[in-house]
């Protein structure tokens, strides 16, 4: 209705191309799907006299929407499926709102340029859509903390920083431990993870692993202690057992938090002596 009866741009596909019309339509759908009438701090969004690239919270690259940042704008409602057709989108930040519902199925399948995805501090539930096997998204940063997600944290092959703390996830894709060439931070405390930690760790750039406040059981794998770049290992308030290692391949540890577990045995006299930055 808005595009036909209110929008002053009065776009025609023959004049501006199909993608431009679709892009403005999707930006309009986002407004209504998240109760735009109640937004705060985005006063010119949906101004029919402006190009959508000039709306508050929207940044474009060559007239194609590349960034949507509507953080702390009092969005509610849910994420519209139409957003997955913004194939030029590089970053989406909807932090600290009241968005509910789920992430639409197949959301990441066509967003091959999306590098930054942040839905932290909302009310979103359900599972994160799996990726098609043929899809290799550019996603480097995935922030989903403090929502109501469940199920398994799916594998994003190029991710560098993933924060999924304060949700109800029950598992992670094991490839984060074995096949994460670029991963530097994985923060997943205060979820429902349970069972043993992945036994084999091959994440050469991993610097921060925070898996505390979960229900992990069993020992801490030796391969985790041997990671070459790990600086912070935080697996506190779980149900881990076993003993501490007498030697580690990793020498970069600065913080090791293992309190409130069921670890046993003695603390080896060499434990920590090989970590000069501890």
């Amino acid at each position: 209705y808005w595009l036909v009866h209110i929008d002053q741009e009065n776009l025609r596909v023959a004049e501006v191309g199909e993608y431009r019309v679709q892009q403005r339509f999707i930006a309009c759908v986002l407004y209504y799907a998240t109760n735009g009438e109640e937004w705060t701090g985005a006063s010119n969004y949906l101004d029919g006299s402006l190009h959508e690239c000039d709306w508050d919270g929207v940044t474009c690259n060559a007239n194609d929407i590349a960034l949507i940042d509507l953080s702390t704008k009092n969005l509610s409602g849910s994420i519209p499926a139409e957003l997955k057709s913004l194939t030029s989108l590089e970053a989406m930040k909807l932090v600290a709102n009241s968005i509910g519902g789920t992430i639409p199925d197949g959301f990441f399948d066509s967003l091959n340029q999306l590098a930054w995805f942040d839905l932290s501090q909302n009310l979103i539930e359900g599972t994160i859509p799996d990726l098609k096997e043929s899809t290799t998204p550019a996603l480097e940063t995935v922030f989903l903390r403090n929502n109501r997600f469940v199920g398994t944290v799916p594998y994003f092959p190029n991710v560098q920083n993933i924060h999924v703390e304060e949700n109800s996830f029950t598992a992670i894709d094991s490839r984060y431990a074995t096949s994460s060439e670029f991963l530097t931070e994985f923060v997943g405390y205060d979820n429902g993870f349970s069972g043993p930690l992945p036994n084999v760790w091959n994440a050469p750039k991993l610097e921060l692993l925070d898996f505390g406040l979960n229900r992990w059981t069993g020992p801490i794998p030796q391969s985790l202690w041997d990671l070459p770049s790990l600086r912070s290992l935080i697996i506190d308030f779980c149900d881990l057992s076993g003993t501490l290692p007498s030697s580690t391949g990793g020498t970069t540890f600065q913080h090791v938090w293992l309190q409130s577990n069921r670890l046993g045995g003695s603390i080896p006299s060499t434990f920590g002596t090989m970590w000069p930055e501890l």
Side-chain angles (χ1 to χ4, degrees):
Y1 179 89
W2 184 87
L3 282 174
V4 175
H5 298 287
I6 300 176
D7 188 11
Q8 299 172 38
E9 287 275 287
N10 196 25
L11 300 180
R12 296 289 184 271
V13 172
E15 298 171 0
V16 300
E18 181 177 348
Y19 188 79
R20 169 72 201 289
V21 176
Q22 176 178 270
Q23 170 177 277
R24 195 167 177 86
F25 168 74
I26 293 171
C28 177
V29 169
L30 175 62
Y31 179 87
Y32 286 107
T34 56
N35 297 314
E37 299 88 350
E38 300 175 3
W39 290 4
T40 58
S43 57
N44 78 352
Y45 198 101
L46 218 65
D47 185 331
S49 67
L50 299 175
H51 193 292
E52 61 274 12
C53 292
D54 296 320
W55 292 348
D56 291 335
V58 177
T59 302
C60 289
N61 183 6
N63 289 326
D64 291 340
I65 294 178
L67 165 65
I68 296 175
D69 186 353
L70 293 169
S71 300
T72 64
K73 297 289 190 292
N74 198 41
L75 277 66
S76 55
S78 59
I79 299 171
E82 287 82 357
L83 279 176
K84 62 186 178 182
S85 295
L86 282 181
T87 54
S88 60
L89 193 63
E90 299 173 11
M92 187 169 78
K93 304 176 184 180
L94 304 178
V95 184
N97 287 293
S98 299
I99 301 170
T102 62
I103 298 178
D105 289 340
F107 188 80
F108 303 104
D109 291 346
S110 59
L111 296 177
N112 294 324
Q113 298 186 55
L114 186 64
W116 192 296
F117 185 63
D118 193 345
L119 299 180
S120 299
Q121 296 175 264
N122 278 284
L123 305 171
I124 306 170
E125 56 190 13
T127 60
I128 302 176
D130 287 327
L131 306 178
K132 292 190 304 186
E133 290 188 7
S134 59
T135 301
T136 305
L139 273 169
E140 297 176 352
T141 300
V142 177
F143 290 161
L144 301 173
R145 68 181 183 88
N146 193 7
N147 277 281
R148 299 173 178 176
F149 290 111
V150 298
T152 298
V153 180
Y155 182 59
F156 298 103
N158 294 314
V159 77
Q160 297 177 12
N161 303 298
I162 181 164
H163 286 231
V164 295
E165 64 268 32
E166 299 176 310
N167 280 283
S168 296
F169 289 112
T170 53
I172 66 168
D173 191 299
S174 62
R175 286 173 290 183
Y176 282 112
T178 61
S179 308
S180 291
E181 180 180 356
F182 308 106
L183 184 64
T184 60
E185 293 185 5
F186 196 133
V187 178
Y189 67 80
D190 197 9
N191 273 283
F193 300 138
S194 61
L197 292 162
N199 190 50
V200 177
W201 287 82
N202 180 23
K205 295 184 178 180
L206 185 62
E207 297 179 3
L208 167 61
L209 182 67
D210 187 347
F211 273 178
L213 290 164
N214 282 289
R215 297 191 292 274
W216 300 110
T217 58
I220 301 173
Q222 180 65 41
S223 59
L224 191 51
W225 292 112
D226 293 339
L227 288 177
S229 303
L230 194 58
R231 296 181 180 275
S232 296
L233 177 63
I234 305 171
I235 322 179
D236 53 353
F237 295 92
C238 294
D239 202 23
L240 296 171
S241 58
T243 60
L244 298 174
S246 58
S247 64
T248 65
T251 61
T252 56
F253 287 98
Q254 294 178 344
H255 307 95
V256 178
W257 295 1
L258 304 173
Q259 67 267 30
S260 297
N261 279 287
R262 294 194 301 114
L263 298 169
S266 60
I267 299 177
S269 60
T270 56
F271 186 73
T273 59
M274 65 293 290
W275 306 332
E277 299 181 63
L278 187 65

